[in-house]
Amino acid sequence: MAKINFGGVWEEVITSEEFPLAKAQDVLRNETVAVLGYGVQGPGQALNMRDNGIRVIVGQREGGPSWQRAVEDGFILGETLFSPEEAARRGTIIQHLRSDAGQKTLWPVIKPCLMEGNALYFSHGFSIIYKDLTGVIPPENIDVILVAPKGSGRTVRSNFLAGSGINASYAVFQDYTGRATERTLALGIAIGSGYLFSTTFKNEVYSDLTGERGVLMGCLAGVMEAQYNLLRKNGHTPSEAFNETVEELTQSLIRLVAENGMDWMYANCSTTAQRGALDWKNRFRDAVAPVFDTLYESVVSGREVQIVLEANSASDYRQRLERELEAMRNMEMWQAGAAVRSLRPEKRGK
Ligand SMILES: NC(=O)c1ccc[n+]([C@@H]2O[C@H](COP(=O)([O-])OP(=O)(O)OC[C@H]3O[C@@H](n4cnc5c(N)ncnc54)[C@H](OP(=O)(O)O)[C@@H]3O)[C@@H](O)[C@H]2O)c1
């Protein structure tokens, strides 16, 4: 493990330097990794592992779009593609990569397939930590482990193909075999993680549910809407409002943050922008802090999980979700966004 100074706090991390791919291949030499669920994370992790020389099979219900995709990605029915139940039986490491609501539904089918010494793997602490709501209580004679990529399954794959990686946290909930940690790290390297940092199932799920409801998605969309609406209310055109709210961020400023940090982005903006942003940053921080407190409480109490399980277990959850996303897509702001994107030089072939 490498010790790294994170702003004054020392943490141990693992990269492919401390844990080379060859070591991961060796640890997983006699394992069959069964990936249950081929939605967003399933393909990213399964394909990266397969490319890295790990024996991977997929467990996916037949006929749906996810099954079709697994076929297109080269998994062969009866050889490397099975029903979830059959894959769970054949695997020695069972990756539960259905949606979190789908994990609950599938658990009664999967549990009897788990054999002594198997590892049950998650990419979220959700099912285990909220066991009173999900019913996911693993048998004592298996390892229970986690690697949670901090990014969409799409970028788990696209970064891997581009020679980069998505950072991931890892945790061991139950170590029956005494090999749980090395299995976890080997899987973390095999799925192409940038670097691996240690967590617990509880901290992973609390931080993840907060992050996606907060800055990463919910808060991001909310503050963008608020600013866009303000500009429109005051007579600015959609083009101006969208450019000042989203396009400048995604095409310019956030790239500078990714490259070299927030101060670097500030340093590369006008002195006028710097002065105002430095002053207003703290006001926004203080304004949203109480909302974040409420959000974290809602995560810890299990309220957020209850909402997710109810909504995503409904038989028409996909249709309902699509209606909500369609409403978002049809908002003036995001329609303006589509127009702005169509004008990017690369879209015009210039
Ligand atoms: N999305 C991400 O990028 C991401 C990032 C980090 C961690 N994770 C974690 O990784 C795990 C997998 O997430 P995901 O986003 O990849 O899942 P997903 O795409 O929503 O679903 C994966 C599979 O679950 C099946 N499924 C979905 N809802 C179901 C339901 N209600 N009942 C039965 N089956 C259902 C789907 O099969 P059908 O097509 O046959 O319906 C699909 O193949 C989760 O624990 C998630 O929290 C995800």
Side-chain angles (χ1 to χ4, degrees), residues 51-212:
D51 286 356
N52 274 334
I54 310 302
R55 195 176 307 114
V56 180
I57 60 174
V58 168
Q60 178 61 45
R61 58 184 170 190
E62 199 168 335
S66 304
W67 183 83
Q68 190 54 44
R69 186 156 170 220
V71 171
E72 282 161 18
D73 286 343
F75 290 98
I76 298 164
L77 191 61
E79 283 181 32
T80 48
L81 177 59
F82 303 93
S83 69
E85 189 178 356
E86 184 58 26
R89 226 177 257 125
R90 288 173 181 248
T92 55
I93 294 174
I94 291 87
Q95 295 198 337
H96 214 354
L97 292 183
R98 269 205 167 182
S99 72
D100 297 302
Q103 289 177 19
K104 177 185 173 177
T105 326
L106 195 64
W107 181 243
V109 176
I110 298 309
K111 192 177 174 186
C113 304
L114 300 171
M115 300 294 144
E116 182 178 1
N118 282 176
L120 180 62
Y121 165 112
F122 295 88
S123 283
H124 204 1
F126 189 107
S127 286
I128 292 289
I129 293 305
Y130 297 99
K131 63 179 190 305
D132 294 344
L133 297 168
T134 63
V136 176
I137 302 168
E140 285 172 7
N141 62 355
I142 62 166
D143 295 342
V144 181
I145 61 180
L146 169 146
V147 178
K150 298 292 129 189
S152 164
R154 279 184 183 274
T155 45
V156 166
R157 183 62 179 160
S158 59
N159 278 25
F160 175 83
L161 291 174
S164 178
I166 291 287
N167 300 330
S169 58
Y170 73 92
V172 172
F173 182 77
Q174 194 167 287
D175 185 1
Y176 174 76
T177 63
R179 295 180 53 231
T181 302
E182 68 170 12
R183 277 172 143 178
T184 310
L185 295 178
L187 289 161
I189 295 298
I191 66 166
S193 303
Y195 80 87
L196 289 154
F197 61 97
S198 161
T199 186
T200 60
F201 273 58
K202 189 182 263 184
N203 281 347
E204 193 286 329
V205 71
Y206 285 4
S207 58
D208 199 67
L209 292 177
T210 301
E212 65 206 8

